[in-house]
Amino acid sequence: MTNHWIDFKNSDVILIMGSNPAENHPVSFRWILKAKEAGAKVICVDPRFTRSAAKADLYAPLRSGTDIAFLGGMINYILQNKLYFEQYVRDYTNSSYLVNADFKMPGDLAGLFSGYDAKKRSYNAKAWSFQKNADESIMKDPTLQDPNCVFQLLKKHYGRYTLDLVSKTTGTSKEKLLEVYKLYASTGKPDKAGTELYAMGWTQHTVGTQNIRAMVIVQLLLGNMGIAGGGINALRGESNVQGSTDHGLLFHILPGYLPVPSADLKDTAAYIEKYTPKTKDPQSANWWANRNKYLISYLKAIYGAKATKENDFAYSLLPKLDPGMNGSWLMIFDNMIKGKFKGFFAWGQNPACSGSNSNKVRSALSKLDWMVTANLFDNETASFWKGPGVDSSKVKTEVFFLPVAASFEKEGSITNSGRWAQWRTAAVKPQGQSKPDAEIIHELYQKIKSLYAKDGGALPEQLSALTWNYGFKRADGTIKSIDAHAIAKEINGYFLEDVEDKPKPLKPGEKAPLPPPPGTPKKMLGKKGELAGSFGQLQADGSTSSGNWLYTQSYNEKGNLMARRGKKDPTGLGMFPEWSWCWPVNRRILYNRASVDLNGKPYNLKKAVVYWNANAPLPNGKTGAWVGDVPDGPWPPMANEKDGKKPFIMKPDGVASVFGSGLKDGPFPEHYEPVECPVPENFFSKQMSNPASKVFSDAGVKEDVLATCDVRFPLVATTYRVTEHWQTGVMTRNTPWLLELQPRQFCEISVELAKEKSIGNGDIIEVSSARGKIEAVAMVTPRIKPFQIGGKTVHQIGLPWCFGWTTPGVGDAANLLTPTAGDANTMIPETKAFMVGIARKG
Amino acid sequence: MAVSRRDFFKLSGSGLAAATLGFNLAPVEAKAEDLAIRYAKESTTICPYCSVGCGMIVHTLGGNVINVEGDPDHPISEGALCPKGSSVFQLRDNKARVTTPMYRAPGASEWKEVSWEWALDEIALKVKKTRDASFMPTSKIKIKEKMGGVDVEKEIEAVVNRTMGMASVGSAALDNEECYLYQKFLRGLGLVYIEHQARI
């Protein structure tokens, strides 16, 4: 989230699209209702009339998988009717940038952008480059009139997204489309805020990233980023999925979003060179220019004294990918089913139920020699060897089940969707013999390390060089138990040496200050052994450590800021700066300097996130400071040409990307059909599905079959969660109160479809796809209505995905039906739009 | 006597409203004083389910969890919990909870209980064996090098130090400190196939 949960109350229009907070984030809905009480309007766009829709002022249905068409129409409406916030668009986005004159878009290129290589199914993004001046700076047209400028290209591209075409694709009526567009576009006024709440309804598509990009463009046109009640807000699904992402439990990132190194980057210098963006814009803060400090401080955190300048901070010990190698979720199970792994950890996760195309996952698990699972309860992954249709005697996989402590039986922090890291205390000892995950990891580490010490083996230093000094020790020096505070401090980072606060290098033409009188004590940033105060203090020379630069400040010399319970709310906007701690540096609203004009005056004076007080005296004798939220940088407003900086500090040029050159599937979102769809043609172009997404269906794995426009599977299906269960239901199916409330797999179908198929409410039906079938109770409901798509009736159904066979009588996983297909950028599986058939049983 | 909502609360604090309205709150107060949580230890925690991050208070007495409820001081949830959060109590004394390490041998049709010592020793041996057998110190890759101003592709043997025979998925339910420790451990073993819930 760019903003945070309480901030919903500051919104004027809330768009719920791709999420269902009333059911899946129930307590957050109080802040949506508070906004409503204050006069805000709520819009809900969803294939189903959800409980969020029931509380909305305006509901519009759409066919699963057509969000880009829907939003493309909105972009077109905003541009045609000049409802954008022009000054914001010009000052804070790349709309004025000139793209090279050869660049072509899907309207002229049969659904493709320039630079496509059909053999590789990928784009060469050089074809999307900007025009440069002689000094390498980007050419711009601040009037936004040049036909090659981003703004005009945007207009041209989305000019194709007419109401007729959008309605024909999405199945939403033109009247509803207009109602939504008009209401949401009303937030383009400088003092109005619109927010978008999305979740897996947007990410789990082969165009997932572009769904979100389309909305980012809407938000930038309307000036809704960086403001109270605005932003683009991912309602994340798990208590700490934000934290686990921040801490790099993914194949492509280390903690703090540092890319995992690839083999072509032979040393830290090559790594830093590649991942440090450059800018010619003197007003760009270009925050990733600090990449070197974060990488070296990470290496110092994990390798400690073993990381020296002489050995390039032990960079060679970090495991490396081949260039272009993809180790993501779908690839893991693809490799596993091909017998490429011997061992597997399923640590607090149930892929046999949560993995798309679960039959493939279950079959893949049987190819392993051994598997370790850590969980509170038995589940479909741990016990896959005795699942439906499996002959245990033929499964050779050895399985270890490690029982873990519940959340309230251990101590540590978790980070919510609003980036607040909140500390949990231990209420009781772990149940039975179960142990906190950290203890188990610690014991395993010690055992494996001592095996290497005793017997040798492959590069033992990779393991033995790790710093591992976490707390409560026995008399012999070995660690008795893990101290979560010690790890939290390692994540925050330390000064490893005394570090002097050196003055910044002089700018050209700047006069050097007078040297201090002799005998003046040196000004220090920090002393050896002290915790680093914030990431601004981290160094690239090995004199500081930090396990995750984003969390530097969370646990510093002031104490454990994540455990704070202060209730002050000085702005009245609900930011509660003294409650817990949020990354980065306790900034509650990201890009908050985009909420003010070039002089630092808030566009919305009533809901000012930050403002520039030119008269505020500073300790160094100068004047001028930001007041309010922690600003995204201390620099004065942009009108100060010498020192002012642009607000989007994580972007190389300081402005937000309306034109996204970094995407794998095009700089503007374009509508493509899901890999399985009900229509024989894409009404927007000749290109059916995302041209840059990976295809699994032609690699000879029998589980990877697709069926598009297949008479056996004529219904569009989507999966979702219910309030009473969580994820695959491992915890909630084992909670008697919750299972009683929501006892088994059901399938929502429309009254019309039920009539067509002679299915009554409560009948047992079979739902099947090209990959599998499950049994469900038919829930015949007017909450789902048939769509008119290109003049034909298309039915949609919905399935919760929280059930599995280990709980008797509830039915098996909805993911047995979903395909192996992933988003072109993230490889998140497409489980929100696929094709099924249904039939009454018996 | 006209009583506004606000006045009602003011008055009820002094017991006047109860008298005015004709009922007596004293038994309710007495009952509250009898609640088991009166002598319990309060620990604050955050809900383990979705990502809203609602505050909870866990009441314990003699090492047992006797109650879990919303934390009224929490600025996001203000004391509220959804059905899942309200049921966290049942995660504790739950017969389905696995509380002993278990092992399933090749071809076996049931789990058997094992000791921690045995399970972790066995896992350590398997991890080491798999790592040693599948460790790749180097990999042949293609790189582009500038030669006389032009990019020339060439193949090199690059250091990768990675383990190919193992993968890991999970976990978004671990604490931050555990996530950090887990990625450190896995990368210390040379793993590159590291994924979790954020991808799906």
Side-chain angles (χ1 to χ4, degrees), chain A residues 147-175:
Chain A
N148 291 316
C149 83
V150 166
F151 188 76
Q152 291 301 327
L153 292 172
L154 185 78
K155 233 175 163 170
K156 186 180 169 198
H157 178 62
Y158 290 108
R160 294 160 56 231
Y161 286 65
T162 60
L163 279 181
D164 283 329
L165 209 49
V166 171
S167 175
K168 191 177 169 186
T169 300
T170 59
T172 317
S173 74
K174 286 191 262 184
E175 295 71 34

mmCIF file of all heavy atoms in Angstrom, chain A residues 147-175:
data_model
loop_
_atom_site.group_PDB
_atom_site.id
_atom_site.type_symbol
_atom_site.label_atom_id
_atom_site.label_comp_id
_atom_site.label_asym_id
_atom_site.label_seq_id
_atom_site.Cartn_x
_atom_site.Cartn_y
_atom_site.Cartn_z
ATOM 1 N N PRO A 147 3.277 15.156 -30.769
ATOM 2 C CA PRO A 147 2.625 13.864 -31.036
ATOM 3 C C PRO A 147 3.399 12.659 -30.495
ATOM 4 O O PRO A 147 2.820 11.586 -30.306
ATOM 5 C CB PRO A 147 2.531 13.812 -32.563
ATOM 6 C CG PRO A 147 3.449 14.868 -33.069
ATOM 7 C CD PRO A 147 3.547 15.913 -32.005
ATOM 8 N N ASN A 148 4.695 12.824 -30.239
ATOM 9 C CA ASN A 148 5.470 11.708 -29.679
ATOM 10 C C ASN A 148 5.581 11.764 -28.161
ATOM 11 O O ASN A 148 6.273 10.949 -27.552
ATOM 12 C CB ASN A 148 6.878 11.693 -30.277
ATOM 13 C CG ASN A 148 6.848 11.315 -31.743
ATOM 14 O OD1 ASN A 148 6.150 10.383 -32.140
ATOM 15 N ND2 ASN A 148 7.579 12.068 -32.551
ATOM 16 N N CYS A 149 4.946 12.740 -27.541
ATOM 17 C CA CYS A 149 5.062 12.801 -26.082
ATOM 18 C C CYS A 149 4.128 11.756 -25.464
ATOM 19 O O CYS A 149 3.133 11.335 -26.072
ATOM 20 C CB CYS A 149 4.813 14.195 -25.538
ATOM 21 S SG CYS A 149 3.098 14.633 -25.316
ATOM 22 N N VAL A 150 4.492 11.315 -24.263
ATOM 23 C CA VAL A 150 3.758 10.240 -23.590
ATOM 24 C C VAL A 150 2.266 10.562 -23.511
ATOM 25 O O VAL A 150 1.417 9.708 -23.749
ATOM 26 C CB VAL A 150 4.354 9.995 -22.185
ATOM 27 C CG1 VAL A 150 3.434 9.146 -21.324
ATOM 28 C CG2 VAL A 150 5.731 9.354 -22.303
ATOM 29 N N PHE A 151 1.960 11.819 -23.216
ATOM 30 C CA PHE A 151 0.554 12.188 -23.031
ATOM 31 C C PHE A 151 -0.248 11.976 -24.310
ATOM 32 O O PHE A 151 -1.356 11.421 -24.283
ATOM 33 C CB PHE A 151 0.470 13.658 -22.583
ATOM 34 C CG PHE A 151 -0.911 14.079 -22.179
ATOM 35 C CD1 PHE A 151 -1.429 13.692 -20.949
ATOM 36 C CD2 PHE A 151 -1.705 14.842 -23.021
ATOM 37 C CE1 PHE A 151 -2.708 14.074 -20.567
ATOM 38 C CE2 PHE A 151 -2.986 15.216 -22.652
ATOM 39 C CZ PHE A 151 -3.493 14.830 -21.416
ATOM 40 N N GLN A 152 0.313 12.393 -25.453
ATOM 41 C CA GLN A 152 -0.401 12.224 -26.725
ATOM 42 C C GLN A 152 -0.481 10.751 -27.122
ATOM 43 O O GLN A 152 -1.478 10.307 -27.695
ATOM 44 C CB GLN A 152 0.269 13.055 -27.829
ATOM 45 C CG GLN A 152 0.115 14.566 -27.639
ATOM 46 C CD GLN A 152 -1.345 15.033 -27.590
ATOM 47 O OE1 GLN A 152 -2.217 14.469 -28.251
ATOM 48 N NE2 GLN A 152 -1.614 16.045 -26.771
ATOM 49 N N LEU A 153 0.579 10.003 -26.820
ATOM 50 C CA LEU A 153 0.549 8.560 -27.123
ATOM 51 C C LEU A 153 -0.525 7.863 -26.283
ATOM 52 O O LEU A 153 -1.234 6.969 -26.752
ATOM 53 C CB LEU A 153 1.924 7.928 -26.859
ATOM 54 C CG LEU A 153 3.051 8.371 -27.801
ATOM 55 C CD1 LEU A 153 4.386 7.825 -27.308
ATOM 56 C CD2 LEU A 153 2.799 7.915 -29.240
ATOM 57 N N LEU A 154 -0.619 8.305 -25.035
ATOM 58 C CA LEU A 154 -1.628 7.746 -24.128
ATOM 59 C C LEU A 154 -3.023 7.991 -24.707
ATOM 60 O O LEU A 154 -3.871 7.101 -24.758
ATOM 61 C CB LEU A 154 -1.492 8.425 -22.760
ATOM 62 C CG LEU A 154 -2.378 7.905 -21.632
ATOM 63 C CD1 LEU A 154 -1.818 6.601 -21.071
ATOM 64 C CD2 LEU A 154 -2.483 8.926 -20.502
ATOM 65 N N LYS A 155 -3.221 9.220 -25.173
ATOM 66 C CA LYS A 155 -4.506 9.605 -25.746
ATOM 67 C C LYS A 155 -4.837 8.738 -26.967
ATOM 68 O O LYS A 155 -5.960 8.278 -27.144
ATOM 69 C CB LYS A 155 -4.410 11.069 -26.195
ATOM 70 C CG LYS A 155 -5.498 11.947 -25.641
ATOM 71 C CD LYS A 155 -5.219 13.372 -26.040
ATOM 72 C CE LYS A 155 -6.464 14.193 -25.875
ATOM 73 N NZ LYS A 155 -6.195 15.616 -26.031
ATOM 74 N N LYS A 156 -3.807 8.541 -27.775
ATOM 75 C CA LYS A 156 -4.000 7.762 -29.008
ATOM 76 C C LYS A 156 -4.308 6.297 -28.662
ATOM 77 O O LYS A 156 -5.251 5.697 -29.168
ATOM 78 C CB LYS A 156 -2.731 7.860 -29.858
ATOM 79 C CG LYS A 156 -2.876 7.218 -31.227
ATOM 80 C CD LYS A 156 -1.580 7.330 -32.030
ATOM 81 C CE LYS A 156 -1.697 6.438 -33.267
ATOM 82 N NZ LYS A 156 -0.411 6.141 -33.860
ATOM 83 N N HIS A 157 -3.482 5.734 -27.760
ATOM 84 C CA HIS A 157 -3.637 4.322 -27.399
ATOM 85 C C HIS A 157 -5.028 4.059 -26.825
ATOM 86 O O HIS A 157 -5.717 3.128 -27.239
ATOM 87 C CB HIS A 157 -2.551 3.931 -26.393
ATOM 88 C CG HIS A 157 -2.632 2.515 -25.920
ATOM 89 N ND1 HIS A 157 -2.509 1.442 -26.776
ATOM 90 C CD2 HIS A 157 -2.837 1.980 -24.685
ATOM 91 C CE1 HIS A 157 -2.627 0.314 -26.091
ATOM 92 N NE2 HIS A 157 -2.831 0.615 -24.824
ATOM 93 N N TYR A 158 -5.446 4.871 -25.873
ATOM 94 C CA TYR A 158 -6.735 4.603 -25.213
ATOM 95 C C TYR A 158 -7.914 5.197 -25.958
ATOM 96 O O TYR A 158 -9.062 4.939 -25.595
ATOM 97 C CB TYR A 158 -6.687 5.030 -23.746
ATOM 98 C CG TYR A 158 -5.788 4.106 -22.970
ATOM 99 C CD1 TYR A 158 -4.537 4.513 -22.518
ATOM 100 C CD2 TYR A 158 -6.164 2.773 -22.755
ATOM 101 C CE1 TYR A 158 -3.694 3.643 -21.855
ATOM 102 C CE2 TYR A 158 -5.317 1.893 -22.105
ATOM 103 C CZ TYR A 158 -4.083 2.337 -21.658
ATOM 104 O OH TYR A 158 -3.250 1.455 -21.023
ATOM 105 N N GLY A 159 -7.624 5.939 -27.044
ATOM 106 C CA GLY A 159 -8.716 6.369 -27.923
ATOM 107 C C GLY A 159 -9.452 5.157 -28.497
ATOM 108 O O GLY A 159 -10.621 5.240 -28.858
ATOM 109 N N ARG A 160 -8.765 4.023 -28.566
ATOM 110 C CA ARG A 160 -9.381 2.780 -29.069
ATOM 111 C C ARG A 160 -10.358 2.185 -28.067
ATOM 112 O O ARG A 160 -11.166 1.321 -28.407
ATOM 113 C CB ARG A 160 -8.294 1.741 -29.374
ATOM 114 C CG ARG A 160 -7.371 2.115 -30.522
ATOM 115 C CD ARG A 160 -6.059 1.327 -30.446
ATOM 116 N NE ARG A 160 -6.260 -0.112 -30.419
ATOM 117 C CZ ARG A 160 -5.705 -0.921 -29.519
ATOM 118 N NH1 ARG A 160 -4.912 -0.445 -28.573
ATOM 119 N NH2 ARG A 160 -5.924 -2.213 -29.553
ATOM 120 N N TYR A 161 -10.257 2.573 -26.805
ATOM 121 C CA TYR A 161 -11.082 1.961 -25.748
ATOM 122 C C TYR A 161 -12.422 2.691 -25.657
ATOM 123 O O TYR A 161 -12.716 3.370 -24.675
ATOM 124 C CB TYR A 161 -10.316 1.952 -24.426
ATOM 125 C CG TYR A 161 -9.216 0.906 -24.405
ATOM 126 C CD1 TYR A 161 -8.119 0.999 -25.264
ATOM 127 C CD2 TYR A 161 -9.276 -0.193 -23.553
ATOM 128 C CE1 TYR A 161 -7.122 0.039 -25.273
ATOM 129 C CE2 TYR A 161 -8.279 -1.164 -23.560
ATOM 130 C CZ TYR A 161 -7.213 -1.043 -24.418
ATOM 131 O OH TYR A 161 -6.238 -1.998 -24.424
ATOM 132 N N THR A 162 -13.208 2.541 -26.715
ATOM 133 C CA THR A 162 -14.512 3.208 -26.772
ATOM 134 C C THR A 162 -15.509 2.484 -25.869
ATOM 135 O O THR A 162 -15.323 1.300 -25.540
ATOM 136 C CB THR A 162 -15.051 3.179 -28.206
ATOM 137 O OG1 THR A 162 -15.189 1.806 -28.600
ATOM 138 C CG2 THR A 162 -14.108 3.879 -29.178
ATOM 139 N N LEU A 163 -16.575 3.184 -25.525
ATOM 140 C CA LEU A 163 -17.602 2.567 -24.675
ATOM 141 C C LEU A 163 -18.155 1.294 -25.305
ATOM 142 O O LEU A 163 -18.371 0.288 -24.623
ATOM 143 C CB LEU A 163 -18.759 3.550 -24.460
ATOM 144 C CG LEU A 163 -18.580 4.616 -23.393
ATOM 145 C CD1 LEU A 163 -19.832 5.465 -23.332
ATOM 146 C CD2 LEU A 163 -18.283 3.994 -22.026
ATOM 147 N N ASP A 164 -18.362 1.328 -26.621
ATOM 148 C CA ASP A 164 -18.904 0.158 -27.315
ATOM 149 C C ASP A 164 -18.001 -1.056 -27.162
ATOM 150 O O ASP A 164 -18.450 -2.143 -26.797
ATOM 151 C CB ASP A 164 -19.063 0.456 -28.817
ATOM 152 C CG ASP A 164 -20.293 1.312 -29.065
ATOM 153 O OD1 ASP A 164 -21.261 1.166 -28.290
ATOM 154 O OD2 ASP A 164 -20.270 2.136 -30.004
ATOM 155 N N LEU A 165 -16.719 -0.832 -27.446
ATOM 156 C CA LEU A 165 -15.767 -1.941 -27.419
ATOM 157 C C LEU A 165 -15.543 -2.447 -25.991
ATOM 158 O O LEU A 165 -15.434 -3.652 -25.752
ATOM 159 C CB LEU A 165 -14.448 -1.456 -28.036
ATOM 160 C CG LEU A 165 -13.576 -2.488 -28.731
ATOM 161 C CD1 LEU A 165 -14.378 -3.337 -29.710
ATOM 162 C CD2 LEU A 165 -12.433 -1.788 -29.469
ATOM 163 N N VAL A 166 -15.485 -1.506 -25.060
ATOM 164 C CA VAL A 166 -15.272 -1.893 -23.660
ATOM 165 C C VAL A 166 -16.467 -2.715 -23.176
ATOM 166 O O VAL A 166 -16.320 -3.791 -22.587
ATOM 167 C CB VAL A 166 -15.050 -0.653 -22.761
ATOM 168 C CG1 VAL A 166 -15.057 -1.047 -21.286
ATOM 169 C CG2 VAL A 166 -13.739 0.031 -23.112
ATOM 170 N N SER A 167 -17.660 -2.238 -23.472
ATOM 171 C CA SER A 167 -18.868 -2.935 -23.026
ATOM 172 C C SER A 167 -18.980 -4.305 -23.668
ATOM 173 O O SER A 167 -19.352 -5.297 -23.020
ATOM 174 C CB SER A 167 -20.092 -2.072 -23.359
ATOM 175 O OG SER A 167 -21.266 -2.767 -23.057
ATOM 176 N N LYS A 168 -18.628 -4.393 -24.943
ATOM 177 C CA LYS A 168 -18.674 -5.667 -25.665
ATOM 178 C C LYS A 168 -17.717 -6.693 -25.037
ATOM 179 O O LYS A 168 -17.978 -7.890 -25.031
ATOM 180 C CB LYS A 168 -18.240 -5.378 -27.112
ATOM 181 C CG LYS A 168 -18.451 -6.505 -28.100
ATOM 182 C CD LYS A 168 -18.039 -6.017 -29.498
ATOM 183 C CE LYS A 168 -17.971 -7.184 -30.465
ATOM 184 N NZ LYS A 168 -17.440 -6.786 -31.789
ATOM 185 N N THR A 169 -16.597 -6.213 -24.488
ATOM 186 C CA THR A 169 -15.576 -7.093 -23.911
ATOM 187 C C THR A 169 -15.860 -7.432 -22.451
ATOM 188 O O THR A 169 -15.751 -8.587 -22.040
ATOM 189 C CB THR A 169 -14.191 -6.409 -24.025
ATOM 190 O OG1 THR A 169 -13.926 -6.174 -25.397
ATOM 191 C CG2 THR A 169 -13.092 -7.280 -23.427
ATOM 192 N N THR A 170 -16.223 -6.409 -21.685
ATOM 193 C CA THR A 170 -16.382 -6.618 -20.236
ATOM 194 C C THR A 170 -17.759 -7.170 -19.873
ATOM 195 O O THR A 170 -17.922 -7.800 -18.834
ATOM 196 C CB THR A 170 -16.231 -5.287 -19.464
ATOM 197 O OG1 THR A 170 -17.225 -4.367 -19.947
ATOM 198 C CG2 THR A 170 -14.851 -4.685 -19.656
ATOM 199 N N GLY A 171 -18.743 -6.870 -20.733
ATOM 200 C CA GLY A 171 -20.119 -7.251 -20.399
ATOM 201 C C GLY A 171 -20.804 -6.256 -19.481
ATOM 202 O O GLY A 171 -21.941 -6.460 -19.066
ATOM 203 N N THR A 172 -20.108 -5.166 -19.152
ATOM 204 C CA THR A 172 -20.696 -4.107 -18.330
ATOM 205 C C THR A 172 -21.519 -3.198 -19.253
ATOM 206 O O THR A 172 -21.048 -2.881 -20.351
ATOM 207 C CB THR A 172 -19.576 -3.256 -17.684
ATOM 208 O OG1 THR A 172 -18.563 -4.145 -17.202
ATOM 209 C CG2 THR A 172 -20.097 -2.412 -16.550
ATOM 210 N N SER A 173 -22.677 -2.767 -18.811
ATOM 211 C CA SER A 173 -23.475 -1.911 -19.691
ATOM 212 C C SER A 173 -22.801 -0.558 -19.855
ATOM 213 O O SER A 173 -22.068 -0.096 -18.962
ATOM 214 C CB SER A 173 -24.880 -1.725 -19.115
ATOM 215 O OG SER A 173 -24.827 -0.854 -18.006
ATOM 216 N N LYS A 174 -23.074 0.076 -20.985
ATOM 217 C CA LYS A 174 -22.450 1.378 -21.249
ATOM 218 C C LYS A 174 -22.870 2.410 -20.194
ATOM 219 O O LYS A 174 -22.075 3.254 -19.796
ATOM 220 C CB LYS A 174 -22.829 1.860 -22.652
ATOM 221 C CG LYS A 174 -22.090 1.103 -23.743
ATOM 222 C CD LYS A 174 -22.260 1.749 -25.094
ATOM 223 C CE LYS A 174 -23.358 1.030 -25.855
ATOM 224 N NZ LYS A 174 -23.519 1.550 -27.232
ATOM 225 N N GLU A 175 -24.111 2.292 -19.745
ATOM 226 C CA GLU A 175 -24.615 3.246 -18.733
ATOM 227 C C GLU A 175 -23.813 3.108 -17.439
ATOM 228 O O GLU A 175 -23.410 4.091 -16.823
ATOM 229 C CB GLU A 175 -26.099 2.995 -18.441
ATOM 230 C CG GLU A 175 -27.050 3.254 -19.603
ATOM 231 C CD GLU A 175 -26.943 2.223 -20.738
ATOM 232 O OE1 GLU A 175 -26.684 1.023 -20.435
ATOM 233 O OE2 GLU A 175 -27.071 2.609 -21.914
#
